[in-house]
Amino acid sequence: MEYTSKEVLLKNGRTCLLRRPEESDAETLIEYLKVTSGETRNFVREPEEISMTVEEELEFIRHMREAPHALHLLAEVDGVFAGSCSFDVQRDRMRTRHRCLIGISLFQKFCGIGIGTALLSEILRYAKIAGYEQAELDVVSTNAPAVGLYKKFGFETTGTIPHAMKYKDGTYADFLFMVKDLT
C-alpha cells in the first residue's frame, strides 16, 4: 500500500516523522523487537525468542511494502527510531478479509508524548482506505495506557482470554480482545 511520509507535532513540541520502513531498517527493527520485548511484560515474546535473520526481516519489509491491503509505519523523533505500527489482513480467507489485525509498539522512553496516537490515527485511516470494515487487536489487560489509547479511538473490549501469557516467574497475564468498527 502506498504511503507518503508525514510529520506530526507531539505533545512535547517535538516533531515526529511517520514513514514506511526501508530495507536499510531491517537490523534496526530486529534490535527494536529485542529491546521492546525486554522493556515491558506487555509483549508475547521474551527478547531471547527474537531469532529472525536480517533476510527474514527484509522479506517482512518487502511484504508490507508490496501488499495492497497492509501497511507498516515507523515513527522517528529527531531522527531517532521511536516505534512502529502496522495492519494486515487478519486471515486471508474470503469470509474474514474484511478484518485487519493492528499491532503497535514503542520504546518506553517515547511513551506518553503522542506517538502512539499519531501512529494509530494513520494506521486506522489507511485501514479504512484499504477497505477493511473492522480493526482488531489484543492487549494485556493491565496495560492501562494502551487500553486507554485504544478506547480513545473507539475500540471496544469484546472478550478476555484468561492466562493468555505465562511469564518466566510463573505469573500470568490476561488479554483483552478489542475491536473497532471502521464502516
Side-chain angles (χ1 to χ4, degrees), residues 138-159:
D138 52 39
V139 59
V140 173
S141 63
T142 56
N143 187 351
V147 172
L149 174 67
Y150 304 142
K151 286 182 177 181
K152 179 171 90 170
F153 277 93
F155 280 86
E156 295 180 6
T157 301
T158 59

Side-chain angles (χ1 to χ4, degrees), residues 41-42 139-147 165 167 172-176:
R41 293 166 48 115
N42 295 326
V139 59
V140 173
S141 63
T142 56
N143 187 351
V147 172
M165 290 196 301
Y167 299 112
Y172 296 91
D174 298 344
F175 276 164
L176 301 179

Side-chain angles (χ1 to χ4, degrees), residues 100-157:
C100 69
L101 182 63
I102 305 286
I104 184 171
S105 60
L106 303 174
F107 283 116
Q108 290 298 296
K109 68 182 179 182
F110 289 106
C111 290
I113 59 173
I115 296 170
T117 297
L119 282 167
L120 195 55
S121 177
E122 283 294 280
I123 283 296
L124 290 172
R125 184 164 73 92
Y126 275 82
K128 189 169 184 172
I129 290 168
Y132 290 108
E133 299 171 24
Q134 183 168 294
E136 303 172 1
L137 56 83
D138 52 39
V139 59
V140 173
S141 63
T142 56
N143 187 351
V147 172
L149 174 67
Y150 304 142
K151 286 182 177 181
K152 179 171 90 170
F153 277 93
F155 280 86
E156 295 180 6
T157 301

Side-chain angles (χ1 to χ4, degrees), residues 35-85:
V35 172
T36 56
S37 293
E39 285 184 326
T40 176
R41 293 166 48 115
N42 295 326
F43 297 114
V44 297
R45 291 186 277 194
E46 294 289 340
E48 61 269 21
E49 293 179 288
I50 310 296
S51 60
M52 70 196 56
T53 65
V54 171
E55 187 54 43
E56 289 169 331
E57 185 64 23
L58 286 168
E59 283 302 314
F60 176 74
I61 291 169
R62 289 180 197 123
H63 162 75
M64 294 300 282
R65 289 186 72 82
E66 296 167 6
H69 300 291
L71 181 63
H72 184 199
L73 295 179
L74 304 184
E76 292 180 350
V77 178
D78 299 328
V80 177
F81 180 55
S84 76
C85 190

